Amino acid sequence: MAGTVAEVMVEMLKASGVRRVYGIPGDSLNGFTDALRPDGGIAWEHVRHEEAAGFAAAAEAALTGELAVCAGSCGPGNLHLINGLFDASRSGVPVLAIAAHIPAGEIGGDYFQETHPQQLFRECSVYCELASVPGQLPRLVEMAMRAALQRGGVGVVVIPGELFFARAPAAATPAPVRAVTAVIRPDDRSLAAAAEVLNAAGRVTILAGAGCAGAHDQLIGLAAALKAPVVHAFRGKEFAEYDNPYDVGMTGLIGSSSGYRAMKHCDALVMLGTDFPYRPFYPEGVPVLQVDVRGERIGRRVPVQVPLVGTVKDTVDALLPLIGPKADSAHLDRMTAHYRRARARLDHLARPGHSGSPLHPQFVAATIDRLAAADAVFTADVGTPCIWAARYLRMNGTRRLIGSFNHGSMANALPQAIGAQASQPGRQVIALSGDGGVAMLLGELLTLRQQQLPVKVVVFNNAALSFVELEMKAAGIVTYGTDLVDPDFAGIARSAGLFGARVEKAGELEAALQAAFGHDGPALVDVRTARHELALPPKLTYGQIKGFTLYATRTILSGEADELIELAQTNLRDLEIE
């Protein structure tokens, strides 16, 4: 016999593999949390801000490929979820959001805490519906779960609080909802058109994205046949970089000059599972082939001559027999040689620095990479931590890298680490946080302690919103409003019951990281890094040169010459102007 709506929902979630729900309790959620309590099969992962619940669920879904769940009480409670849910939506990971609502009879009357969640969440979801009567549940929940899993996104069910306590329909029986797979590849005519373009081209470059997950062998096989250098987008790094003799690095604003050149100097481009957004980095006047399982994404960034709708794995498997293996490797050889030079320059920057001065962030990231476990999960805050993660963390096929790569939200690393650690209790999870990012959701350090999650947080503390400063400088604007007066993050961590260490000299870094990584519990290492470390794009345009010059002039005129001198002393060897 069916129980309450909430009890049937809990059984359905359990049957579908859900083992935790991220959120903060509230009166409109009482019926749901009360059903979780006696069951015991699903843990309530209590965070300190609902935004963190959304990010945590998104990280779990990204790691496991399975449905993750977050919940928020009515009004402000579930409204706080929205930033994390936007991140999940734009990353294409399956998340179910349970948005409790005010009493159904009060909707539309400007009741206490009233919002309209079914409208607010529409833009960041693949399914969003309001349940009005008990008879709609748990069917709406099942539909939301299935949409999230099959379409890769967020399913939202808005439930007035009293419905959780209502008796479920007699016919309601929990049914597991799991992802199902299918072979998805283009039709034969499209494959033949793609093969014709690739067989005629002399210099093919591959741009690999997150859609290459599970298709590493196919990526390498295609690169080998085409003698094609492989450039990766940031989200493709963990899937394309390792065991890849064709790797030439990343392109984009935080990429390397070799990745940029491989894109610009090809006569055909193959986009595999990527919707790389920065149009200035694409080649001009060459045929482009784009593979994506969601056909509506094709051609959004650059004109595409041959659209190929399918998964990377299935499409490449069908395409490879039509490709005539190329003998000329000149393009590949030039680009891999360029990458070796660019990589050597980047590695040179990862040095300790002068004694007594703030540490080079490159050195910090390279040391983290060296000391981290072979199967570590890394999360990286938006801003300069992403730059150092992209350039210095080495992927190996078992490590994972998660960030807010499409949505670009501050403060993502710590809450994503919560979801990663809760769902992967036996793995090392390391958050590369900026001082601005960790401060924004500082309360989640308490979550680490309360939920006993042994996350290791490394704070790149440069007392500034430094990526914003870099953007200002490139535009010729004197930096303003970006200073951060930071506390002793290590002291705050210790007061919250975490291991805490502060590093101000290069010689202190390795011991502090080893102690934190070896600590049986959550840990934070606050590292004082250089503020004016320029992280230049792979191509510096004339406009950016003009902007930096204008910035320098204005800085001198405003009497801030000390900052300019420090900036001028920064190592610029990775600079390439075209």
Side-chain angles (χ1 to χ4, degrees):
M1 181 177 178
T4 66
V5 163
E7 289 169 346
V8 174
M9 284 175 57
V10 169
E11 287 300 315
M12 179 185 298
L13 293 174
K14 283 173 53 182
S16 302
V18 174
R19 292 296 175 263
R20 62 199 61 82
V21 176
Y22 302 92
I24 297 177
D27 61 347
S28 54
L29 268 176
N30 282 347
F32 180 67
T33 53
D34 189 57
L36 289 173
R37 176 186 53 79
D39 181 87
I42 297 178
W44 179 257
E45 294 288 343
H46 188 167
V47 297
R48 296 306 176 103
H49 194 291
E50 288 92 347
E51 179 180 354
F55 274 121
E60 175 179 333
L63 278 177
T64 65
E66 300 285 349
L67 187 76
V69 182
C70 58
S73 58
C74 66
N78 62 57
L79 187 59
H80 282 158
L81 292 171
I82 200 164
N83 195 45
L85 295 184
F86 258 100
D87 186 78
S89 174
R90 301 196 68 189
S91 296
V93 296
V95 170
L96 172 68
I98 299 170
H101 204 2
I102 64 172
E106 300 291 349
I107 295 174
D110 197 21
Y111 191 72
F112 176 65
Q113 294 188 323
E114 181 171 5
T115 59
H116 293 88
Q118 69 275 24
Q119 297 176 29
L120 292 167
F121 291 111
R122 187 74 65 189
E123 188 178 346
C124 66
S125 63
V126 295
Y127 182 95
C128 183
E129 294 295 341
L130 167 67
S132 300
V133 296
Q136 293 177 281
L137 294 163
R139 185 170 60 92
L140 291 189
V141 176
E142 179 180 345
M143 292 168 66
M145 294 166 66
R146 202 171 298 281
L149 283 164
Q150 296 308 128
R151 296 180 60 187
V154 177
V156 182
V157 182
V158 182
I159 305 175
E162 73 276 14
L163 294 192
F164 289 116
F165 294 101
R167 303 303 298 179
T173 53
V177 180
R178 308 300 288 260
V180 295
T181 58
V183 174
I184 306 174
R185 71 166 183 84
D187 63 278
D188 291 343
R189 185 171 63 178
S190 296
L191 291 168
E196 182 179 358
V197 171
L198 295 177
N199 288 331
R203 303 186 309 276
V204 181
T205 292
I206 295 172
L207 175 61
C212 290
H216 187 267
D217 290 346
Q218 285 75 15
L219 169 65
I220 300 303
L222 185 63
L226 296 172
K227 299 292 188 291
V230 176
V231 182
H232 60 263
F234 200 174
R235 289 189 66 209
K237 174 181 172 70
E238 58 179 324
F239 308 116
E241 184 180 64
Y242 71 96
D243 293 342
N244 184 354
Y246 311 98
D247 177 38
V248 295
M250 198 169 96
T251 189
L253 296 172
I254 61 176
S256 64
S257 55
S258 53
Y260 173 82
R261 288 175 67 89
M263 291 270 285
K264 285 293 188 177
H265 293 277
C266 67
D267 60 11
L269 176 68
V270 182
M271 299 171 62
L272 295 180
T274 180
D275 193 28
F276 180 73
Y278 302 108
R279 288 184 286 174
F281 291 88
Y282 283 98
E284 298 176 358
V286 305
V288 177
L289 291 71
Q290 185 174 0
V291 179
D292 203 300
V293 73
R294 292 176 60 172
E296 70 272 18
R297 294 175 175 170
I298 294 177
R300 298 200 298 188
R301 314 302 179 192
V302 65
V304 171
Q305 181 168 327
V306 184
L308 298 168
V309 178
T311 66
V312 172
K313 182 179 185 300
D314 297 332
T315 300
V316 174
D317 279 342
L319 179 61
L320 268 175
L322 307 179
I323 299 295
K326 296 185 183 298
D328 185 358
S329 64
H331 175 57
L332 173 64
D333 295 340
R334 281 195 301 271
M335 296 308 154
T336 51
H338 192 288
Y339 178 57
R340 288 192 294 271
R341 295 192 298 272
R343 183 70 255 171
R345 290 194 295 268
L346 290 175
D347 291 341
H348 177 72
L349 293 173
R351 62 196 191 284
H354 298 296
S355 176
S357 62
L359 285 75
H360 290 304
Q362 299 95 320
F363 171 65
V364 179
T367 305
I368 292 169
D369 173 75
R370 178 166 54 83
L371 297 179
D375 65 344
V377 178
F378 300 98
T379 64
D381 261 338
V382 163
T384 51
C386 267
I387 301 176
W388 316 131
R391 294 180 177 180
Y392 295 99
L393 295 183
R394 292 172 296 178
M395 298 295 104
N396 57 12
T398 55
R399 284 179 167 182
R400 297 297 308 273
L401 176 60
I402 296 173
S404 186
F405 300 140
N406 286 348
H407 188 46
S409 174
M410 277 186 67
N412 61 286
L414 177 54
Q416 286 176 332
I418 289 171
Q421 192 73 83
S423 62
Q424 308 279 304
R427 294 178 75 172
Q428 184 184 65
V429 177
I430 303 172
L432 279 63
S433 296
D435 47 343
V438 77
M440 185 176 282
L441 286 175
L442 190 60
E444 298 313 317
L445 293 179
L446 303 176
T447 300
L448 298 184
R449 174 61 176 167
Q450 180 166 329
Q451 300 302 113
Q452 300 180 356
L453 299 171
V455 170
K456 316 306 178 188
V457 182
V458 182
V459 182
F460 288 69
N461 187 346
N462 54 20
L465 300 175
S466 55
F467 198 87
V468 178
E469 288 188 336
L470 180 61
E471 293 169 325
M472 289 179 172
K473 292 168 186 175
I477 299 171
V478 175
T479 55
Y480 177 74
T482 55
D483 294 333
L484 296 177
V485 180
D486 288 324
D488 177 0
F489 289 114
I492 288 177
R494 288 191 294 269
S495 69
L498 282 68
F499 171 94
R502 182 169 173 83
V503 175
E504 298 188 1
K505 299 178 181 178
E508 302 167 346
L509 179 65
E510 183 156 343
L513 289 177
Q514 286 180 331
F517 292 175
H519 178 67
D520 184 19
L524 181 146
V525 181
D526 182 1
V527 186
R528 181 173 173 250
T529 58
R531 176 170 180 170
H532 301 296
E533 194 80 19
L534 276 183
L536 294 171
K539 173 193 175 186
L540 196 59
T541 66
Y542 171 75
Q544 289 167 330
I545 296 171
K546 182 180 177 181
F548 277 112
T549 304
L550 184 59
Y551 159 75
T553 303
R554 287 174 171 170
T555 299
I556 291 173
L557 293 176
S558 65
E560 298 174 6
D562 288 346
E563 178 182 345
L564 183 62
I565 292 170
E566 185 176 353
L567 176 64
Q569 292 173 339
T570 302
N571 192 316
L572 302 179
R573 294 187 184 180
D574 194 41
L575 171 62
E576 178 158 331
I577 303 171
E578 290 195 357

